[in-house]
Amino acid sequence: MRRLLIAASSTAALLLTLTACGSGDSSSSSAAAAPTGCTPKVGKSDLVKAGTLTISTNATLPPMQYLDASNKIVGMRVDLGNEIAKLLCLTPKFVNIPFDAQIPGVQSGRWDMIDTGMFYTPERAKTVKLVPYEVQGVSISVAKGNPKKITSEADLSGKTIAVEAPGYEFDTLTALNKELKAAGKKQVTVRTFTTTADAYQALSAGQVEGVAIVEAVTSYYQKDGRFETAVKGMNPAPLALGFGKQKPADAVANALNTLRSNGYLATLYKKYGVTAYTGDLKVTTGAISAK
C-alpha cells in the first residue's frame, strides 16, 4: 500500500490496568527534584514558571508515558523529558493532558513543551514549533490469537479499527481507505475514542477488531500477553516535541544534540525499542523523511 508523504490475564485485570493508564485528569502531575549548582538555560520570561520546564503528556501509552500504581507519570518520554530538563538546569514538571488539548495549551502558554509522541507533519509545524527526535510507524493490535487472521494492510478491508481521538493513526487509516475504495474493496470502519486505553478496552470487549497505535505500544501489550501485533510499520514518520516559543525550542534542541552525542538517546531508544530520528535535531518545517 502507498504510504502517506511525510511533509503513532483476565479481562478484569486488563480493565484495571488500562483505566490506570488512561486518566486524562489535567490536575495529575509529576515533578522531579530541582537541579543544583547550575544556571537555567531558559529565562523566566520564556517559561510558564521560572526555573521549571512544564511538560504536557497524555499518559495513556505504556511504556512510552503512563500512570504507574502510585499515579505517577512514568515512561520513556518522561525519562527523556527529565534528562532534557537536567541539562537545561530546570525542574521538570509533567502534566497529564488529553492529546487534543495539548497544542492549544502550548500555544496559549499553559505549558512549555509537548512530550507525548506527537507525529510530525508539515501542517502541524505551521501551528507550533516542532523538533523531531524519534521515528514510529502505525501498527495494529488485535486480540490474542489473531482470530480475524489480519496480517497485512489489505486484511484491514471491512474491519473495525479503533484509534485515539483523530490524529496521525486516523489519518493513516483514512488514506488507506482511499486506496481500498479506489480498488473497489470494503473500507475500514474507524472508531475514535478519547484515549488509547479506551480503544484497548473496546478491543478487549470485542467491540472492535483492532487498535491502531504506534508500534512501541502494540509491542508492549504483545509482550504482556494480552494482545498481538498483527500489522506494523504502516506510514512511518518522525515524532516531535512541540513548543509555543522559539527559545525553549532551541534550548531543548541543543539538549537533544548533547544527548545524541553522549550516547544517552541511543541507550534510551534501545531500552524501549524505539527507532532514532537521524535528521537534524532542530526546529523543523516542511516535508521531512522518516530517517
Side-chain angles (χ1 to χ4, degrees), residues 8 117-121 124 130 136-138 168-169 214 237-240:
M118 179 170 57
F119 276 99
Y120 175 94
T121 67
R124 190 168 278 162
L130 297 179
Q136 294 268 7
V138 176
Y168 193 78
E169 292 86 357
V214 294
L239 275 63

Side-chain angles (χ1 to χ4, degrees), residues 208-225:
V208 298
E209 293 159 300
V211 174
I213 191 62
V214 294
E215 186 174 339
V217 176
T218 66
S219 296
Y220 171 85
Y221 282 119
Q222 178 164 294
K223 290 177 182 177
D224 197 53

Side-chain angles (χ1 to χ4, degrees), residues 94-146:
F94 280 86
V95 291
N96 187 15
I97 302 293
F99 178 74
D100 58 2
Q102 294 197 37
I103 289 178
V106 83
Q107 289 173 324
S108 63
R110 291 180 60 197
W111 36 85
D112 305 306
M113 180 172 89
I114 299 172
D115 180 12
T116 199
M118 179 170 57
F119 276 99
Y120 175 94
T121 67
E123 294 74 21
R124 190 168 278 162
K126 294 176 182 178
T127 63
V128 289
K129 294 164 180 60
L130 297 179
V131 179
Y133 67 100
E134 68 172 276
V135 174
Q136 294 268 7
V138 176
S139 295
I140 305 294
S141 262
V142 298
K144 187 175 181 179
N146 194 359

Side-chain angles (χ1 to χ4, degrees), residues 39-63:
T39 301
K41 293 182 172 58
V42 182
K44 62 181 181 180
S45 63
D46 289 303
L47 296 170
V48 174
K49 180 181 178 181
T52 298
L53 184 65
T54 305
I55 306 166
S56 68
T57 196
N58 186 12
T60 68
L61 300 176

Side-chain angles (χ1 to χ4, degrees), residues 8-213:
S9 128
S10 67
T11 300
L14 169 64
L15 294 178
L16 177 61
T17 302
L18 292 181
T19 300
C21 293
S23 171
D25 181 4
S26 62
S27 65
S28 174
S29 64
S30 299
T36 59
C38 56
T39 301
K41 293 182 172 58
V42 182
K44 62 181 181 180
S45 63
D46 289 303
L47 296 170
V48 174
K49 180 181 178 181
T52 298
L53 184 65
T54 305
I55 306 166
S56 68
T57 196
N58 186 12
T60 68
L61 300 176
M64 311 310 285
Q65 67 262 6
Y66 62 102
L67 298 178
D68 67 9
S70 62
N71 215 38
K72 180 181 179 182
I73 304 172
V74 297
M76 189 211 87
R77 296 191 181 109
V78 178
D79 294 347
L80 178 60
N82 286 339
E83 199 68 17
I84 288 170
K86 180 180 177 181
L87 286 177
L88 299 181
C89 197
L90 298 172
T91 300
K93 179 183 179 182
F94 280 86
V95 291
N96 187 15
I97 302 293
F99 178 74
D100 58 2
Q102 294 197 37
I103 289 178
V106 83
Q107 289 173 324
S108 63
R110 291 180 60 197
W111 36 85
D112 305 306
M113 180 172 89
I114 299 172
D115 180 12
T116 199
M118 179 170 57
F119 276 99
Y120 175 94
T121 67
E123 294 74 21
R124 190 168 278 162
K126 294 176 182 178
T127 63
V128 289
K129 294 164 180 60
L130 297 179
V131 179
Y133 67 100
E134 68 172 276
V135 174
Q136 294 268 7
V138 176
S139 295
I140 305 294
S141 262
V142 298
K144 187 175 181 179
N146 194 359
K148 298 296 183 179
K149 306 303 179 187
I150 297 171
T151 61
S152 68
E153 293 180 37
D155 292 337
L156 298 177
S157 172
K159 304 299 190 298
T160 300
I161 305 298
V163 299
E164 191 174 76
Y168 193 78
E169 292 86 357
F170 180 90
D171 293 343
T172 296
L173 293 177
T174 298
L176 175 60
N177 272 341
K178 291 180 180 179
E179 296 178 12
L180 292 171
K181 183 178 180 180
K185 297 180 180 180
K186 291 183 178 179
Q187 298 183 57
V188 180
T189 298
V190 184
R191 287 191 59 190
T192 60
F193 292 84
T194 303
T195 69
T196 299
D198 293 335
Y200 269 102
Q201 287 183 15
L203 177 57
S204 179
Q207 298 168 353
V208 298
E209 293 159 300
V211 174
I213 191 62

